[in-house]
Amino acid sequence: MNPMTQPHTPALTSRLPKVGTTIFTVMSALAAETGAVNLGQGFPDFDCDPELVNAVTRAMQAGHNQYPPMPGVPALRQAMAAKMLALYGLACDPNTEITVTAGATQAILTAILAVVHPGDEVIVLEPCYDSYVPNIELAGGVAVRVPLTPGSFRPDFGAIAAAITPRTRAIIVNSPHNPSGQIWSQADMLQLQDLLAPTDVLLISDEVYEHMVFDGQQHQSAARFPGLAARAFIISSFGKTYHVTGWKVGTVVAPAAMTAEFRKVHQFNVFTVNTPMQHALATYMADPAPYLELSAFYQRKRDLFREGLAGTRFTLLPGQGTYFQCVGIGDLAVPERELPEGDFCQWLTREIGVAAIPLSAFYGNGFDQKVVRFCFAKKDDTLREALKRLARL
């Protein structure tokens, strides 16, 4: 063969040159390698309700194994419409305003691709979920990073207002918030509504932890506020709600005109979502108890975990929602407290046997405030074993 025609792989120019392996993959692999208790990546180590699995089996046996309608199985969209009305007072049309997605991450990407044009700015509030900025960059947009208040992780509305320009296309808000576990109050949402009212800025409201709000507080969905609902993609996750993160099924609720643009992208990146699981979820949603009782379920785990950590020198940050608990490491009695958060988490995994995630991984500039995140969506025995190991600190 002529040397000039040897097979070769053409050189690529990366669309995401700054993206590598995520910290979640790195820490989960290290936990598996070392036998550490994995409180890093956010998924349960317990199974879902067997009835939900049985409902999938029945759906497959009933022949629901071919493509569903592109927007999702009608029964599931109708069940979501009923839930949005009952919980948040939002009347939405399941035919034109609700779309079933392949998880919340796909929903966020699709919303961004649908509305963000090259050069548009999108405000993200850091620390934030790691898909937001790469999604904006894939759309040709510019991520404008506005920090939440360090320590409290409250929104700084002065900083948000200052970040809005004529090029601002959207803002992404996440409550309950990953990674901090904080929630936005009614006053926060009203202030956001007032701030956006004179603008054409869209809202991408990431509400995947909507059913994990503690201490008698109420989730303040964008759906509750007419001025926000009229400009919002409201994103939910069945995986988070029903302990089936591997199913990757979510929903997006948005006004009809926004949904129409969303579906133009959706039909060409996933087209449809797993049919039998959609039918099973629609059947399972007939009983609201599983999601209505989820906050109490996770609050018990949060309290168990916080009570155990109270006997250590970790500094407990408030945990108002989600299944994450953030802690400060600055007061620990070990010299490793001086390490950068990422190095500390590596040490904690290898030497103490518990995996955590550094909060710096959720900032574009790697801002280090001596805080790490644990996930308590685990069996009580798993949490007790982790606490036993952490007691050494």
Side-chain angles (χ1 to χ4, degrees):
M1 183 179 289
N2 187 324
M4 299 300 291
T5 60
Q6 287 288 340
H8 72 286
T9 301
L12 301 178
T13 300
S14 177
R15 293 292 309 279
L16 295 171
K18 292 179 267 185
V19 171
T21 305
T22 72
I23 186 66
F24 311 104
T25 299
V26 170
M27 295 311 300
S28 287
L30 184 60
E33 173 192 325
T34 60
V37 179
N38 188 0
L39 302 189
Q41 197 166 0
F43 60 85
D45 70 344
F46 48 85
D47 210 349
C48 66
D49 183 348
E51 179 50 34
L52 187 51
V53 175
N54 293 339
V56 175
T57 300
R58 289 194 297 269
M60 289 189 289
Q61 291 172 337
H64 297 301
N65 300 302
Q66 308 307 326
Y67 293 132
M70 181 270 289
V73 167
L76 183 56
R77 286 183 280 127
Q78 290 159 7
M80 275 301 298
K83 183 185 119 172
M84 296 300 289
L85 182 61
L87 289 188
Y88 307 131
L90 179 67
C92 46
D93 186 334
N95 294 319
T96 61
E97 297 181 318
I98 300 177
T99 308
V100 180
T101 63
T105 302
Q106 182 248 317
I108 294 163
L109 172 63
T110 301
I112 290 169
L113 290 175
V115 301
V116 175
H117 296 256
D120 285 352
E121 295 176 350
V122 181
I123 295 171
V124 297
L125 307 178
E126 289 190 317
C128 65
Y129 183 58
D130 64 346
S131 83
Y132 296 170
V133 171
N135 289 179
I136 294 163
E137 292 174 346
L138 284 172
V142 177
V144 177
R145 302 170 186 270
V146 176
L148 296 166
T149 305
S152 71
F153 303 101
R154 306 303 309 157
D156 180 340
F157 285 102
I160 295 170
I164 295 176
T165 75
R167 294 182 300 278
T168 304
R169 186 58 173 152
I171 179 172
I172 306 177
V173 169
N174 173 213
S175 178
H177 181 243
N178 175 20
S180 75
Q182 298 295 82
I183 63 173
W184 282 41
S185 67
Q186 181 184 48
D188 291 333
M189 298 299 283
L190 287 169
Q191 195 163 352
L192 180 66
Q193 181 173 251
D194 289 344
L195 179 62
L196 298 184
T199 77
D200 287 328
V201 174
L202 300 172
L203 171 62
I204 299 173
S205 189
D206 179 353
E207 303 185 16
V208 300
Y209 301 100
E210 63 187 309
H211 300 300
M212 303 172 203
V213 178
F214 309 137
D215 304 317
Q217 299 187 81
Q218 191 176 56
H219 171 55
Q220 298 299 326
S221 172
R224 295 184 186 276
F225 304 89
L228 295 178
R231 65 177 71 224
F233 294 102
I234 301 171
I235 296 166
S236 298
S237 166
F238 293 113
K240 299 292 191 300
T241 299
Y242 293 134
H243 318 308
V244 287
T245 59
W247 287 16
K248 298 298 293 177
V249 184
T251 58
V252 173
V253 174
M258 292 170 61
T259 294
E261 292 304 311
F262 180 93
R263 289 178 179 176
K264 288 179 184 180
V265 178
H266 175 79
Q267 71 180 335
F268 291 122
N269 64 8
V270 295
F271 180 54
T272 59
V273 176
N274 191 296
T275 303
M277 288 173 178
Q278 288 194 60
H279 282 277
L281 287 163
T283 300
Y284 195 71
M285 284 186 73
D287 179 7
Y291 60 79
L292 293 178
E293 295 169 0
L294 195 65
S295 289
F297 173 83
Y298 273 121
Q299 182 169 335
R300 288 191 293 271
K301 291 187 178 295
R302 182 205 65 170
D303 292 348
L304 168 67
F305 192 54
R306 285 177 65 91
E307 286 164 11
L309 288 176
T312 71
R313 295 176 68 95
F314 284 111
T315 302
L316 286 168
L317 277 65
Q320 300 176 316
T322 76
Y323 46 46
F324 300 116
Q325 175 64 53
C326 286
V327 298
I329 64 175
D331 292 335
L332 295 177
V334 294
E336 287 78 12
R337 70 178 184 272
E338 301 298 337
L339 291 171
E341 291 169 4
D343 292 342
F344 175 85
C345 287
Q346 295 265 348
W347 171 81
L348 189 72
T349 304
R350 293 185 184 278
E351 302 301 327
I352 305 301
V354 180
I357 298 291
L359 221 66
S360 56
F362 297 87
Y363 288 88
N365 64 0
F367 176 51
D368 194 308
Q369 53 197 312
K370 301 296 183 189
V371 175
V372 302
R373 188 199 78 178
F374 292 115
C375 173
F376 56 80
K378 309 296 176 184
K379 298 173 186 172
D380 289 359
D381 287 347
T382 303
L383 295 175
R384 291 189 181 98
E385 178 59 31
L387 289 167
K388 178 181 173 182
R389 300 181 185 193
L390 294 170
R392 296 165 55 189
L393 301 174

